[in-house]
Every structure is written in C-alpha cells, then in structure tokens.
Amino acid sequence: MKKLREGVSTGSCMTGGAAAAALWLVTGKCPEVIQVETPIGKTLYLDVIPKEPGVCGVIKDAGDDPDVTDGSEIVTRVELLSEDGEIIFKGGEGVGTITKEGLKLPVGEPAINPVPRQMTREALRKIIGDRGAVVTVSVPGGEELARRTFNPRLGVLHGLSILGTTGIVRPMSEEAMKDSLLVELDMYARQGHRSILFVLGTTGENALKARYGEFRCILQVSNYIGFMIEEAVERGFTDILIGGFVGKLVKVASGTMNTHSHVADGRLETICTHAALHGASRKVIGRIYSCVTTKAAMKIVEEEGLMDIWEDMAEKAALHCKKTAHEMADVGIIFLDGDDQVLARSSNVDKMLPRVLAAKDSQAAQDNK
C-alpha cells in the first residue's frame, strides 16, 4: 500500500509567514525559504511568497489529506511596535471569529488556535526579542471554504480556523475523524449541556429538525455511535437521542456500534429475526433475506403487515446503546424511513424530547409527535 504523504498545517504556514515577514522588517531582505520548528520536533522548510515588507504568504500543502484548505495561500502580516510587549493576534480576510463559548478561545477572538499562536510567538521571539508585535493572518477565499467545514456548527463565523497541534497534517484517518467529532462534543460539554442529539448525517439532522424543531445541541457522529456514546458519558451527558435512517441504525439493534459497512452489516439478518418473532412465515423471511437493500426489505415488511417490528428494533437498539453507556445515560432511538419521516421510536423518546430540544420548541414537538 502506498504511504500517504503528510502535509503542513495552517498554523505552520502562519508561523512561517510571520517569521519571514519579521525577518524582512529586521534585515531588509525577504527569505525565499523559511524554517519552521513544529511541536513534535519535525523541521519544515516552507517556500515564501513575498508581498510587501512585513507581509508574506505560504501555500498550504495538505499532503494526501482531503483538506479544503489545500492549495490556499496563508498570508501573514507582522507590524513591529516601538516598545517591548506582547505579540497580539488578529484575524484578517477569510479567518473566522469565535462566537460561542466552549472552545479553547474566548468569544470575540479570531479563530487562531493556541498551538499556532505559541509556535508563532516562539519563532518571532528569536527574531524580534522582547519587542511587541501585531500579527494579522488572512486566507483569501477562506469565508467560502469555511462553509465546507465544521466551523459554522462550532460557532466560528465568517472564515476558517488556523489549526494544528503538531504542525503536521496527517492524511485523514478514522482517528482524525473521531478527533474532529470530540472537538464539537467538548464544546457542548464546556457550555454545560447534558442532553444531546446524535445524527448520522445532514439528511437525518434536517429531517429531525423539520419534525421536532430546534435542538439544544446536535452532533453528526457518522458511523461512530458506540465511540461517541462512551465519550459523551465520560463528559457527563445523561440524555443521548440518536436519529437516522433505519438502514444504518438497524445495525445497532443487533449490537453493532460502528455502522460502517466495512465493520459489519447484519441488517437483513436483524430484520429477519424480528419478522420471525412477529410470526412471519419462512417464505416471507426468505424474501426479506434475499433483498439487496433495506429499502426493499421495508417494502416486504409493510406488505406483510409486520410494521410493529420497527418499534421492537428501536427498543432493542436503545437497550444496546444504554449498555454501551454503562447505564449512565438514557439513550433513545428514532428510526427514519429514508423519505425523511419517522418510522419508529423507542419508548423513552417522549420523555427525552423536552430535555434534548431547545426550550421554546419542546411543547411544539410534543404536539407534533
């Protein structure tokens, strides 16, 4: 298997641009290549794009990671102050602003994360000593790119975040995906939330909002249901509502807590088992088992008058999830039918909805059950 190529974080690009800009101001000459020391001890050599004295750009290279910022220019301006003092960070074009509590930066700050700030401070101190400075980072086109990231959900508005804890971008992996989910979960936990809605994707999120109204906090957990339940419980969440297409969530009714197809399937086997428990004939079970898709199986279930099996499976899925939560949280399940309609719910959903929904929408949701 080909080894995937690592990339450079936006934080490293900012650090390199800032260092090059400061050297230009101090020495009168802009370097063609700038050296950046990363927190993990790896040294980077980044090409510098000179703009004007004190302003330099570095092109973000994400390696083999499908990063939306790959190929973007990170432009950093350094203004040296006349006296010794702090290094102040500002966000320019395309860099977002923090608007929600719970992230690592206070509301109102530019979305330049702590590690990139520290990397830049250390690089600049080697060049300007104790002198004060203002560092302004921009990402042309960043506001448009940010719409394709988690930033709007996190309350980072009008642009991208300058990220990086290691200075290196490792190609997207399951670990990286989980880490990004935990950032959002941590934010909600710091805000004091103890009830949350997990959805598998955008379609399910939109369907549940249309049916019930706005929720206090929503997190798209993809296939990582078991992992996210355990992490939520560890952070003190006591109500976890999970909604999504039955074709995915039916796997949870068999105890499968990672619903990715490469991990496990068992959808048809689970449907067949519950159909048999509801008295389906061997012929009907055979027809269900021969289906290629959950949608096809759903049609047979409806034709044979076996629709009660969905509530049984929702109940079973909720039970498995509660065991995964070590009985420390109440977990409810909502199956969607693929046409954005609720197919079935576990029996505890009614009592959970008021706690998971935004207060103003709780009564409306109860009226819309």
Side-chain angles (χ1 to χ4, degrees):
M1 181 183 292
K2 175 190 171 185
K3 183 178 179 181
L4 296 177
R5 188 170 63 88
E6 293 181 336
V8 178
S9 71
T10 48
S12 289
C13 293
M14 178 183 77
T15 300
L23 281 170
W24 197 350
L25 292 174
V26 169
T27 67
K29 183 179 179 181
C30 180
E32 294 182 1
V33 176
I34 194 72
Q35 180 176 316
V36 173
E37 301 298 332
T38 67
I40 58 172
K42 204 171 252 191
T43 302
L44 303 175
Y45 297 91
L46 306 178
D47 293 331
V48 176
I49 303 171
K51 301 291 185 180
E52 61 182 82
V55 185
C56 292
V58 174
I59 297 297
K60 163 70 180 284
D61 177 4
D64 287 326
D65 187 73
D67 191 316
V68 298
T69 59
D70 185 39
S72 296
E73 185 177 10
I74 313 301
V75 180
T76 310
R77 175 185 295 273
V78 174
E79 301 170 71
L80 298 181
L81 303 180
S82 57
E83 299 179 355
D84 291 352
E86 295 182 8
I87 295 174
I88 299 166
F89 291 88
K90 294 184 177 181
E93 175 194 354
V95 173
T97 300
I98 307 294
T99 66
K100 288 184 180 180
E101 295 181 357
L103 296 176
K104 294 180 180 179
L105 297 164
V107 171
E109 277 289 304
I112 306 167
N113 278 17
V115 171
R117 291 180 188 230
Q118 184 60 30
M119 288 174 64
T120 301
R121 283 193 193 96
E122 291 175 0
L124 288 182
R125 287 300 177 214
K126 293 176 182 177
I127 300 167
I128 66 172
D130 294 329
R131 196 167 172 183
V134 178
V135 176
T136 304
V137 60
S138 304
V139 185
E143 185 166 1
E144 179 63 31
L145 290 174
R147 296 190 181 102
R148 294 156 52 190
T149 72
F150 284 111
N151 274 15
R153 300 180 67 88
L154 295 171
V156 178
L157 301 184
H158 309 306
L160 295 160
S161 299
I162 303 301
L163 301 171
T165 55
T166 64
I168 302 295
V169 174
R170 292 190 171 88
M172 180 56 89
S173 62
E174 184 170 298
E175 181 182 353
M177 180 64 179
K178 288 177 177 178
D179 286 345
S180 69
L181 293 175
L182 293 180
V183 170
E184 194 169 354
L185 187 64
D186 282 335
M187 179 188 74
Y188 287 135
R190 291 191 191 107
Q191 290 172 353
H193 292 289
R194 294 298 175 260
S195 303
I196 193 167
L197 169 67
F198 286 168
V199 291
L200 308 188
T202 302
T203 301
E205 177 177 336
N206 291 339
L208 290 169
K209 283 180 176 179
R211 178 66 182 266
Y212 298 114
E214 290 298 319
F215 291 81
R216 295 178 188 274
C217 46
I218 304 175
L219 210 165
Q220 292 185 17
V221 298
S222 185
N223 295 295
Y224 309 113
I225 294 171
F227 170 78
M228 292 304 294
I229 289 172
E230 291 180 336
E231 293 292 336
V233 167
E234 189 174 313
R235 288 158 175 77
F237 285 88
T238 54
D239 293 289
I240 304 169
L241 193 58
I242 304 173
F245 174 49
V246 67
K248 279 279 192 181
L249 282 184
V250 73
K251 297 180 183 182
V252 181
S254 68
T256 300
M257 289 295 148
N258 183 327
T259 59
H260 197 291
S261 56
H262 80 255
V263 174
D265 194 341
R267 295 166 297 159
L268 297 172
E269 290 83 353
T270 305
I271 297 170
C272 285
T273 297
H274 285 267
L277 290 171
H278 278 251
S281 68
R282 182 172 180 176
K283 181 180 179 181
V284 170
I285 294 168
R287 287 176 62 208
I288 294 172
Y289 192 66
S290 66
C291 289
V292 176
T293 65
T294 307
K295 264 291 194 189
M298 291 169 68
K299 186 176 180 181
I300 296 170
V301 168
E302 184 173 7
E303 290 171 352
E304 297 295 330
L306 296 167
M307 294 297 286
D308 287 348
I309 70 171
W310 302 117
E311 287 191 4
D312 284 359
M313 279 187 275
E315 209 66 52
K316 194 71 172 177
L319 180 63
H320 282 300
C321 288
K322 194 165 184 179
K323 288 179 180 177
T324 300
H326 311 292
E327 308 288 336
M328 296 171 67
D330 201 7
V331 185
I333 299 289
I334 300 176
F335 285 161
L336 298 173
D337 65 1
D339 294 318
D340 298 341
Q341 300 300 313
V342 173
L343 178 66
R345 316 188 314 178
S346 57
S347 60
N348 58 351
V349 168
D350 284 351
K351 70 176 182 179
M352 293 181 67
L353 273 171
R355 299 196 292 267
V356 180
L357 284 164
K360 65 180 180 180
D361 295 307
S362 295
Q363 186 57 52
Q366 291 301 302
D367 295 339
N368 191 32
K369 287 189 298 185

